[in-house]
Amino acid sequence: MKSLHVEGDTFLHRLPAGLKLAGLAAVSLLLFLLHSPLLLAFAAVAGIGLYAMLGLGWRNSWQRLRVILLTIVVVSVFTLVINSPVDAAAVFFRLIALFLFAATITATTSTGDFIAVVTTAAKPLEKTGLITASDIGLAIGLVIRFLPEVLDRYQAIRDAHHARGLKPKPLTLAVPLIILTLRNADEIAAAIDARGIRSQK
Amino acid sequence: MSTRDLVLAALFAAIIVALGLVPPIMLGFIPVPITAQSLGVMLAGVILGAKRGGLAVLLVLVLVAIGLPVLSGGRGGLATFFLPTAGYLVGWFFAAVVTGYCSEHFVDRSQNGIVQIAGFFLAALLGGVVVDHLMGIAYLAFGTGTGLATAFLGDLAFVPGDVLKAMIAALAGRAVMVGYPLLPQRA
């Protein structure tokens, strides 16, 4: 799994992840309160400027952004047809600005930094007794560790279908995939407990 | 939460991610390929129950937020939470919890197969279709300034596909319950 993070040492890379996320939250709130297309267009230009600071080049940027850009265009056209052109312009610029700010933070923050922020943010959750903050970090690690195995297993089940001349169907793919994957849970849990990775009972 | 439950949730999160990475599956009688990721959300609730299923989906959302391209089509990153469709994404968590809660209450091992499938179907329908679509519509109407009525109409196009996924989730849920009886419903 390749993260959307981009290695680099720009000013944005050096800012603490928590600060960047708090900034994003504040900016998004502000952008939803603004309704003037002109002001929002300025925000969009600021977003473009910020993203350009990453120095990814046109081709790479387009590859990364195109799927979501398409969604934004569809929504804007939808708004144009249903509401007014002014509304459509406001929606378009607001989404472009938000999207680029968010994409910049994603690109300049490493997965490790994010997990640290998530773990800190999850501290209040410990009071509910449902989960501890360190469990979240452990669980994220587990997902990333076992994703390739799940994908391999999916491929194997698909190949087995082809080998028997069966057409792959959602049901016949999902059920063996789930049972085979979840059956590992006991072993993995035992391995985690044997190593004393989780400190509590 | 026991280590086993934590591992189950993490493994299921990996399954949900995997379902988004594999090519979309064509169903015989609908010309549109379905992405299996929202099916995975319903399955999490049906198979793992409210607590573990909710945690599995929450883990997927955290992975999205920290910039891994784990959604179907390789989408990911914080930007996905600012799209007009973000309501459906955040709604996944509530969908899994509601589906899980209902499954725990509707379905019992002593029931016969048809009743179990019906119970799972109803649970997946309530969580994966009703709850998720309501949240999606609410945010779509607010996020784009589109009226509630328009957002509702646009949403209707996706209801048949998701009802079908609820059916698949119900059948798969029952099959896993029978095929892997060591997995207790309770968390």
Side-chain angles (χ1 to χ4, degrees), chain A residues 51-126:
Chain A
Y51 198 81
M53 275 171 64
L54 298 174
L56 286 175
W58 287 105
R59 213 188 152 78
N60 196 351
S61 303
W62 170 247
Q63 293 261 325
R64 289 168 162 266
L65 306 177
R66 60 181 175 188
V67 181
I68 293 180
L69 275 179
L70 189 70
T71 317
I72 293 178
V73 169
V74 168
V75 169
S76 304
V77 170
F78 201 56
T79 316
L80 183 66
V81 172
I82 289 153
N83 299 9
S84 64
V86 179
D87 282 345
V91 164
F92 180 74
F93 288 129
R94 181 187 293 131
L95 289 175
I96 291 285
L98 276 175
F99 163 53
L100 288 173
F101 287 138
T104 307
I105 291 178
T106 298
T108 56
T109 312
S110 72
T111 306
D113 286 347
F114 266 124
I115 292 179
V117 173
V118 170
T119 311
T120 315
K123 279 271 192 280
L125 274 179
E126 290 191 357

Side-chain angles (χ1 to χ4, degrees), chain B residues 115-174:
Chain B
V115 180
Q116 288 173 335
I117 291 170
F120 278 145
F121 178 60
L122 202 60
L125 211 56
L126 279 174
V129 183
V130 177
V131 171
D132 191 44
H133 282 244
L134 280 182
M135 292 194 64
I137 291 170
Y139 188 75
L140 190 63
F142 156 76
T144 61
T146 321
L148 264 179
T150 324
F152 184 72
L153 276 177
D155 175 85
L156 280 182
F158 298 96
V159 170
D162 279 356
V163 170
L164 199 68
K165 287 180 204 170
M167 194 64 230
I168 297 171
L171 292 170
R174 150 113 174 120

Side-chain angles (χ1 to χ4, degrees), chain A:
Chain A
M1 170 113 313
K2 206 172 167 300
S3 161
L4 297 170
H5 171 63
V6 180
E7 291 289 334
D9 192 31
T10 64
F11 167 68
L12 286 161
H13 279 89
R14 289 190 295 267
L15 273 181
L19 193 68
K20 282 188 275 195
L21 288 171
L24 180 66
V27 167
S28 66
L29 201 63
L30 185 71
L31 287 178
F32 274 110
L33 293 174
L34 286 177
H35 290 284
S36 143
L38 193 66
L39 287 176
L40 289 167
F42 276 122
V45 171
I48 294 171
L50 206 60
Y51 198 81
M53 275 171 64
L54 298 174
L56 286 175
W58 287 105
R59 213 188 152 78
N60 196 351
S61 303
W62 170 247
Q63 293 261 325
R64 289 168 162 266
L65 306 177
R66 60 181 175 188
V67 181
I68 293 180
L69 275 179
L70 189 70
T71 317
I72 293 178
V73 169
V74 168
V75 169
S76 304
V77 170
F78 201 56
T79 316
L80 183 66
V81 172
I82 289 153
N83 299 9
S84 64
V86 179
D87 282 345
V91 164
F92 180 74
F93 288 129
R94 181 187 293 131
L95 289 175
I96 291 285
L98 276 175
F99 163 53
L100 288 173
F101 287 138
T104 307
I105 291 178
T106 298
T108 56
T109 312
S110 72
T111 306
D113 286 347
F114 266 124
I115 292 179
V117 173
V118 170
T119 311
T120 315
K123 279 271 192 280
L125 274 179
E126 290 191 357
K127 289 204 181 75
T128 65
L130 279 174
I131 195 161
T132 64
S134 57
D135 281 351
I136 295 185
L138 173 64
I140 291 172
L142 284 174
V143 180
I144 296 172
R145 158 72 178 79
F146 286 102
L147 181 60
E149 283 188 17
V150 175
L151 285 172
D152 283 349
R153 204 166 279 140
Y154 179 88
Q155 201 54 51
I157 296 168
R158 229 187 143 83
D159 290 347
H161 275 73
H162 289 307
R164 293 174 179 80
L166 300 170
K167 233 178 110 198
K169 291 195 196 116
L171 200 60
T172 55
L173 287 172
V175 173
L177 180 70
I178 291 167
I179 293 179
L180 287 173
T181 303
L182 297 188
R183 241 184 15 194
N184 284 350
D186 289 313
E187 285 167 38
I188 299 165
I192 290 170
D193 285 338
R195 287 164 180 77
I197 289 170
R198 296 176 87 215
S199 46
Q200 75 284 13
K201 57 191 174 339

